[in-house]
Amino acid sequence: MAPFEDVMGELDSPMFILTCHPPGGRPAGCLVGFATQTSIDPPRFLVCVSERNHTHAAARRSDVLAVHLVPRQAGEIAALFGGETEDDLDKFSRCAWHPGRHDAPILEDCPNWFIGRVRERLELGDHTGFLLEPVAAHHQPGHRGLGLQRAAEEIEPGHPA
């Protein structure tokens, strides 16, 4: 459906990095472009992960996920989590991070983030949607987000789109 794809190609949605640490597993994370707030009261956020992505299986086993707004100036961290795959390397050995609440990995290069408890998992075509209830957050003013258009120009995906 080319016209629909053309319309979607005009969007410049913010980019996020989702991280998680499933029980008995190692931290995982990926760049995501399909995400949105879905409710103000109660607060809810939907983040979608491709079934082709290594992080997909880890996120499905996790009760909490961390969602980081990628700052415009954080091209290296976006390229690491969007252009590399954990099938090939440990992304977390290549960046600064610390365990946050519920052991969710928090990326030092992304000062605006929240941790959400998974309320629902939704099968959404070739992605799984995770409906999150925020349980912790950090905001540092002055860090505008990286948009989809710039990310698409600068990052070669780790997995086919």
Side-chain angles (χ1 to χ4, degrees):
M1 183 181 259
F4 175 76
E5 292 169 2
D6 292 342
V7 171
M8 293 300 103
E10 295 295 324
L11 299 178
D12 197 20
S13 306
M15 299 301 295
F16 298 92
I17 296 174
L18 175 134
T19 61
C20 59
H21 193 172
R26 63 181 198 171
C30 64
L31 188 69
V32 295
F34 299 159
T36 190
Q37 184 174 353
T38 62
S39 175
I40 295 170
D41 187 18
R44 297 289 186 266
F45 192 86
L46 180 70
V47 61
C48 302
V49 179
S50 170
E51 293 173 352
R52 294 182 183 180
N53 196 299
H54 175 88
T55 302
H56 183 265
R60 288 197 61 88
R61 295 189 333 267
S62 298
D63 293 330
V64 296
L65 305 174
V67 178
H68 306 77
L69 178 63
V70 179
R72 285 184 189 160
Q73 70 276 16
E76 285 186 31
I77 195 88
L80 174 63
F81 281 87
E84 301 292 341
T85 173
E86 285 159 327
D87 297 331
D88 302 327
L89 62 91
D90 176 6
K91 295 176 189 178
F92 290 88
S93 69
R94 297 182 181 220
C95 67
W97 67 281
H98 66 272
R101 191 168 172 187
H102 303 287
D103 213 22
I106 303 300
L107 303 174
E108 303 286 333
D109 287 340
C110 298
N112 293 319
W113 53 265
F114 74 92
I115 297 170
R117 182 178 328 283
V118 177
R119 301 284 298 188
E120 288 186 56
R121 291 171 178 84
L122 307 161
E123 302 308 317
L124 303 171
D126 60 357
H127 283 62
T128 297
F130 297 88
L131 184 63
L132 304 177
E133 171 188 9
V135 296
H138 183 266
H139 176 253
Q140 186 174 337
H143 292 273
R144 308 260 317 153
L146 173 67
L148 175 64
Q149 298 298 329
R150 184 169 160 207
E153 292 170 2
E154 297 178 2
I155 300 169
E156 180 73 30
H159 283 280

